[in-house]
Amino acid sequence: MSERTLYDKVWDEHTVTELPTGQTQLFVGLHLIHEVTSPQAFGMLGERDMEVAYPDLTHATVDHIVPTADQSRPFDDDAAEEMMSELEQNVRDSGIEFDDPTTGDQGIVHVIGPEQGLTEPGTTIVCGDSHTSTHGAFGALAFGIGTSQIRDVLATQTVAMEKKKVRKIEVTGDLGPGVGAKDVILTIIRKLGVDGGVGYVYEYAGEAIESLDMEGRMSICNMSIEGGARAGYVNPDETTYEWLRETDAFRDDPEKFEAHKEYWESITSDADAEYDDVVTINGDEIEPVVTWGTTPGQGIGVTEAIPEPDALPADKQETARGSQEHMRVEPGETMQGYDIDVAFLGSCTNARLPDLRAAADVVDGREVDSSVRAMVVPGSQRVKEAAEAEGLDETFREAGFEWRGAGCSMCLGMNEDQLEGDQACASSSNRNFVGRQGSKEGRTVLMSPVMVAAAAITGEVTDVRELPEVAVQ
Amino acid sequence: MSEEVVETVERVTGSGIPVRGNDIDTDQVIPARFMKVITFDGLGEFAFFDQRFDDEDNEKDHPMNEERFRDASVMVVNANFGCGSSREHAPQALMRWGIDALIGESFAEIFAGNCLALGIPTVTADHETVSEIQAWTESNPDDDIEIDVADETVRYGDHEVTVTVDEAQRRALVDGVWDTTALMQSNSGAVAETAAGLPYLDD
Ligand code: SF4
């Protein structure tokens, strides 16, 4: 069993008691909710005549179903409007703060928490959304929960959980040019498998992780769940503290900042902490990664050949065959040159300001290929505003990208942004499951924001490191 | 406050249905477009929808479309079933279709947790054992499989095999404490104490 890791310390700090099931009743410091998974929980609460116990510790946003073109009410889609109204009703009745689109603070739940300073090191954070692991980038213990557990949190501000093992994943060395956080996490998932993290929480460490900005760390923690781990975290350090200092929570309150910082520093993993497992990955060797299949574990370096299913472990062969058939790719070839129809730059994995900046750098002075529909969907209204202040929207528009409003958008087929027919999409999101982007025949290729930008320009999967220089105008 | 009446789930008996494949994600169990609803009612008919129907709503080859499995209540699956999205809509859809228990090689954690919250056991066995049960259900679609959660065994035909039930899950189901809300609410004093001890909740 792990000892003296951040996970152990935060777990102990939040333990209420042990339940008869052997599970721990864990206090929840921050509960985030959105429109898709919460209405049924409020319904269950109502059926039992219960009230929200700690409304101040729950925070709501709307992201999955919001249109990203025209957000005026009522929404065109009746089902979306109904979900929105239901959420409005629930937060009003319970006294929960809600960042609706009129506030300027709306956005994807895993983008708005950190940017407002709601996400703090050493806290426990839950949300009815598997990518809640994102918040672990700050050294929070953050995990996705189901709707019945949302009911528990609303009613008691606690969840019943079993303690997991801790695997330290050390990424050594320096990431090369054109290589970023997304490539690191896709490499980790490929190495450890989509179920390699079941039963574990991942602690990401090593120079390559420590040298990442907060947004990069969020991209990594975000996809912990794609590796089967319910939570992932990075120990907080100066990068974390500097980021937090500038958020709403602390900007005007240096005393509160110092007081909290003392706690944050106390919960980091000790130098002699014990782990259940340690894995080391050489960051120098990572190249831009793209997926060739229909699970996030089916990734390869952009210059590598798509594997022969027979050469994979026995339990992965059949899935691989099905994936290759769906994607229409041939083993032995690389993914370079794979035609794409849509370029999607968005989602809670990669739609924060540095993601947009890096992609804008690539598209600056270039033009989107005529066969491609390219879109940028900022992760939140604040990201959008900040990007516009820097003129990134102009850069994207001039190149031929659509510049849209904040939301989950084409990450999943729950709003009007969807793939059609068998379109292939270069996507900065986190899931390439069949049907995920709204079309059963749709084909998703996961990659980093700069790789999405490169694919948009050439109309095919392209090594961003090889994109020819733009002629000086 | 209403008194909770929680049933115990020591045993589940019913005919089986095999759904084969590793890494079946919850986007397949219930596609996102069917989640634009504010209650779980009616989700049953959409379980595995895109695997069961083509674009024109014609039935495709899928065990859930086969008449002989219509009354099944034990789903027999392979490895890493229920990975991906945390949507409780997935077990809700299966439950509303008629599934009371799952036997598989392994389950994604959030999925298994969501099942537990509904009183649905997710028991595991190795690849060979699971494959044998799947094959058996094909030839004996009307015969019962009995999952004994307390004893960690599965009986079908003249076979009895040992399965694994996660310890917390076993206790929760057998002792009838899988519905945690009331239980945890009764500790509200201790909850307030824990909250008071947290240095970041000072304001
Ligand atoms: S952006 Fe995608 S992964 Fe993230 S919360 Fe939205 S739907 Fe989920």
Side-chain angles (χ1 to χ4, degrees), chain A residues 12-303:
Chain A
D12 289 348
E13 198 78 44
H14 292 80
T15 295
V16 175
T17 184
E18 189 169 310
L19 296 169
T21 53
Q23 292 171 300
T24 301
Q25 182 175 359
L26 208 61
F27 187 80
V28 172
L30 174 65
H31 181 208
L32 297 165
I33 58 171
H34 62 61
E35 74 284 11
V36 182
T37 51
S38 70
Q40 302 83 358
F42 281 103
M44 296 176 194
L45 212 62
E47 279 166 25
R48 295 175 185 213
D49 216 5
M50 288 178 175
E51 285 183 354
V52 179
Y54 291 75
D56 293 350
L57 299 183
T58 293
H59 197 100
T61 186
V62 58
D63 48 12
H64 287 64
I65 53 98
V66 281
T68 60
D70 175 9
Q71 296 188 332
S72 57
R73 301 287 299 281
F75 297 148
D76 280 346
D77 175 357
D78 291 341
E81 177 60 27
E82 190 189 5
M83 294 177 83
M84 177 70 172
S85 311
E86 182 76 11
L87 181 60
E88 286 174 319
Q89 181 72 40
N90 287 331
V91 295
R92 204 178 312 124
D93 291 350
S94 314
I96 291 168
E97 201 172 332
F98 177 32
D99 296 328
D100 75 49
T102 65
T103 59
D105 296 329
Q106 172 265 342
I108 306 173
V109 63
H110 313 307
V111 177
I112 66 140
E115 76 186 358
Q116 296 181 24
L118 298 169
T119 301
E120 266 190 61
T123 58
T124 44
I125 302 178
V126 302
C127 173
D129 195 287
S130 58
H131 292 102
T132 309
S133 57
T134 311
H135 306 259
F138 290 79
L141 199 54
F143 37 81
I145 56 175
T147 293
S148 296
Q149 287 174 301
I150 300 177
R151 172 198 65 202
D152 287 354
V153 179
L154 291 173
T156 69
Q157 202 59 30
T158 60
V159 277
M161 290 215 83
E162 281 157 82
K163 201 163 177 205
K164 306 289 172 203
K165 292 185 275 193
V166 184
R167 173 179 292 142
K168 183 179 191 176
I169 301 178
E170 202 152 6
V171 187
T172 58
D174 298 316
L175 303 179
V179 179
K182 183 66 157 289
D183 306 302
V184 173
I185 187 63
L186 284 170
T187 301
I188 292 173
I189 298 167
R190 173 194 182 183
K191 292 222 157 116
L192 301 177
V194 288
D195 53 1
V198 173
Y200 284 94
V201 160
Y202 283 171
E203 175 176 306
Y204 303 101
E207 306 98 84
I209 302 287
E210 285 155 21
S211 57
L212 290 172
D213 59 15
M214 289 316 296
E215 288 85 350
R217 296 177 189 186
M218 284 189 249
S219 303
I220 294 204
C221 291
N222 174 274
M223 292 189 70
S224 302
I225 187 73
E226 265 65 62
R230 199 160 175 185
Y233 65 87
V234 177
N235 276 295
D237 60 11
E238 286 308 319
T239 307
T240 321
Y241 308 142
E242 284 318 303
W243 209 90
L244 282 157
R245 196 198 292 277
E246 296 310 318
T247 59
D248 305 2
F250 302 105
R251 203 180 294 123
D252 303 319
D253 199 343
E255 260 172 51
K256 177 178 163 191
F257 177 82
E258 290 305 328
H260 284 219
K261 188 175 167 198
E262 203 176 306
Y263 171 63
W264 302 337
E265 287 173 332
S266 75
I267 49 82
T268 56
S269 296
D270 289 352
D272 66 348
E274 282 171 36
Y275 297 88
D276 300 284
D277 191 27
V278 178
V279 172
T280 306
I281 286 175
N282 185 349
D284 296 314
E285 285 172 5
I286 298 175
E287 59 168 349
V289 179
V290 292
T291 55
W292 50 265
T294 55
T295 82
Q298 293 170 327
I300 43 168
V302 65
T303 65

Side-chain angles (χ1 to χ4, degrees), chain A residues 350-414:
Chain A
N350 280 127
R352 299 181 181 82
L353 195 54
D355 300 318
L356 303 194
R357 277 189 194 135
D361 256 358
V362 174
V363 306
D364 194 9
R366 297 187 163 103
E367 242 174 76
V368 170
D369 186 83
S370 60
S371 67
V372 174
R373 176 188 180 194
M375 53 202 286
V376 186
V377 184
S380 70
Q381 292 181 323
R382 289 195 190 187
V383 168
K384 186 175 190 215
E385 203 189 321
E388 286 171 356
E390 293 180 15
L392 301 184
D393 56 327
E394 282 304 311
T395 308
F396 281 116
R397 277 211 193 89
E398 271 165 25
F401 276 82
E402 296 168 35
W403 179 254
R404 302 179 74 92
C408 294
S409 183
M410 207 183 266
C411 178
L412 95 171
M414 276 197 85

Side-chain angles (χ1 to χ4, degrees), chain B residues 101-119:
Chain B
L102 290 103
I103 304 172
E105 291 171 48
S106 62
F107 295 91
E109 272 167 32
I110 302 183
F111 178 83
N114 285 339
C115 284
L116 180 60
L118 303 176

